[in-house]
Amino acid sequence: MKKVLLAYSGGLDTSCCVTWLKERGFKVICFIADLGQQENLNKIKVRAIKTGASKVYVKDLRQEFVKDFILPTLKADAIYEGKYLLATALGRPLIVKYLVDIAHKEKAKYVAHGCTGKGNDQVRFEGGTKTLDPKLKTIAPVKIWDLKSREEEIDYAKNKRIPIDVTKKKIYSIDKNLWGVSIECGALEDPWAEPPKSAYQWTSAPEDAPSKPEYVEIYFEKGEPKNINGKSYSLINLIKKLNDIGSKHGIGRADSIENRVIGLKSREIYEAPAGTILHLAHKELESMVLDGDTQHNKELIAIKYAKLIYAGRWFIKEKKALDKFINQTQKNITGTIRLKLYKGSCVAVGRKSKYSLYNKKLVTYSSIKGVK
Ligand code: ARG
């Protein structure tokens, strides 16, 4: 029997994929990646089996995700088109890496994903797979079946008794991981319509956030965040903690019309509380420590780096070269940034670093004895 390794999330698309692939004579093995989406992965595993998967792999990839994917992106200050912190885009190459690994282990000749032909994720899955193993064949059921909309997929799931959570009212397509939430579809497809409150998954609306500001101090060492308010955390817990604090204050929402790789414009909303706080603090610290020219060059690299991640070109050589430049700039990015969070806004109100190039004596407009 032909074996296929399916990147499975338990959502509408991938659930329908299991049944569709089985009906076409495949033995379906599902792979569920834990990227900190804080879902009950055991429940999703059971759902995969109930839907007909013959085997399910669940892998906790959070450590690798923060260390090898989130951290380099933070050091790069990479944000796509000034708004999108790339949570989904960053998760994909890591999923692909393990999908290919497990396919090898299982001696499967096929891998499959549940992405549509309209988005970026298909490019990330297919390009990533091709780079890592050009011999593996990718099947993309959503691109070839004749279900034309999410509504039709819901009907298909009902007919085939596929367990799903989505209803025609709750039509959003949501992708979550530790670094953020990406939300598409439904009411959001009208670029004039304000996103309904219910579309946001983590953050309070700024108008409902506490009316008292909260101050947070973040300490970085060589470009890496190490502690919050003097207390050190592992990177996973540090991000979780900032997601909690940021969500409470309505930080990290973005509403964007973005340029997809395939040339379409789309309207998406995002939530990335920790990412927003960390990017801001990191850039503030860089502005204290980096000389102006390096800082400006780095801004250009940040755009390139974000574009590369967005386009699913994570495994290419150019990225390694950019990483070298970025890491070189991070040697002195050590210090503390003090932030004020208040009703959706996050601003730096204090900064200090032993490598600071800021020199009050030189810059001051007030006269200091002995300095002219
Ligand atoms: N537009 C974003 C990206 O391409 C988010 C995609 C989100 N996917 C989803 N299933 N909601 O990275």
Side-chain angles (χ1 to χ4, degrees), residues 55-341:
K55 198 168 175 183
V56 182
Y57 284 82
V58 183
K59 267 194 185 299
D60 181 355
L61 303 180
R62 290 175 305 161
Q63 194 52 38
E64 193 169 344
F65 189 43
V66 292
K67 189 172 149 281
D68 296 343
F69 291 78
I70 292 176
L71 210 46
T73 308
L74 177 65
K75 289 179 182 172
D77 301 312
I79 297 180
Y80 186 66
E81 295 182 345
K83 285 188 179 173
Y84 173 35
L85 270 60
L86 296 159
T88 300
L90 275 174
R92 298 313 189 197
L94 182 54
I95 296 174
V96 168
K97 181 179 161 192
Y98 282 89
L99 196 68
V100 170
D101 255 22
I102 301 169
H104 289 164
K105 191 171 158 216
E106 286 285 341
K107 297 194 173 33
K109 294 203 172 63
Y110 299 87
V111 291
H113 63 71
C115 314
T116 75
K118 293 191 181 176
N120 302 309
D121 286 330
Q122 55 166 344
V123 179
R124 298 170 187 147
F125 271 105
E126 291 166 26
T129 306
K130 270 266 175 306
T131 315
L132 296 179
D133 181 357
K135 288 208 189 84
L136 272 175
K137 293 192 187 67
T138 305
I139 311 173
V142 183
K143 286 162 72 173
I144 46 182
W145 64 31
D146 27 68
L147 304 171
K148 288 189 189 61
S149 61
R150 286 176 68 75
E151 287 81 356
E152 282 189 30
E153 285 181 30
I154 293 173
D155 290 335
Y156 175 85
K158 286 215 173 103
N159 286 338
K160 306 274 176 185
R161 297 178 182 284
I162 302 170
I164 50 161
D165 280 339
V166 187
T167 61
K168 287 187 187 172
K169 273 199 199 122
K170 243 172 77 188
I171 203 86
Y172 302 116
S173 168
I174 299 172
D175 183 66
K176 277 187 208 165
N177 63 42
L178 189 63
W179 201 230
V181 194
S182 309
I183 309 143
E184 308 172 285
C185 302
L188 303 173
E189 288 180 353
D190 173 0
W192 181 249
E194 181 175 353
K197 260 193 178 174
S198 62
Y200 289 101
Q201 308 295 307
W202 286 354
T203 52
S204 321
E207 61 268 29
D208 300 334
S211 46
K212 210 173 142 248
E214 181 167 349
Y215 290 86
V216 176
E217 288 183 13
I218 303 178
Y219 170 71
F220 288 83
E221 223 170 76
K222 295 186 174 32
E224 303 185 6
K226 294 288 182 194
N227 75 48
I228 306 171
N229 297 332
K231 190 168 173 231
S232 56
Y233 292 87
S234 70
L235 207 45
I236 295 178
N237 287 335
L238 184 135
I239 293 172
K240 276 193 188 163
K241 175 88 184 159
L242 290 178
N243 271 334
D244 288 345
I245 301 177
S247 292
K248 186 170 88 187
H249 290 280
I251 310 291
R253 290 183 168 194
D255 178 342
S256 110
I257 297 290
E258 84 190 20
N259 291 293
R260 286 189 182 162
V261 201
I262 53 164
L264 292 172
K265 283 193 187 288
S266 68
R267 199 281 187 93
E268 329 236 346
I269 61 170
Y270 298 107
E271 296 172 276
T276 301
I277 295 170
L278 287 171
H279 267 292
L280 191 123
H282 180 259
K283 272 198 95 165
E284 280 292 332
L285 186 55
E286 285 186 332
S287 69
M288 281 288 273
V289 173
L290 294 179
D291 65 275
D293 284 326
T294 305
Q295 192 184 327
H296 297 158
N297 274 318
K298 201 165 176 293
E299 283 169 10
L300 302 176
I301 300 284
I303 296 174
K304 277 195 157 286
Y305 205 87
K307 214 170 159 177
L308 176 156
I309 296 169
Y310 189 80
R313 300 170 68 231
W314 185 263
F315 298 110
I316 61 165
K317 291 202 183 89
E318 184 195 359
K319 182 190 159 283
K320 292 200 182 97
L322 296 181
D323 277 330
K324 283 252 161 33
F325 170 85
I326 293 159
N327 285 332
Q328 177 67 29
T329 63
Q330 298 300 292
K331 296 209 164 112
N332 289 348
I333 308 303
T334 296
T336 303
I337 298 295
R338 185 161 187 258
L339 302 154
K340 183 177 182 177
L341 314 184

Side-chain angles (χ1 to χ4, degrees), residues 19-36:
T19 306
W20 190 90
L21 286 163
K22 272 199 76 180
E23 284 176 347
R24 273 143 196 88
F26 282 97
K27 183 169 170 181
V28 183
I29 303 171
C30 288
F31 167 50
I32 304 170
D34 184 355
L35 299 180

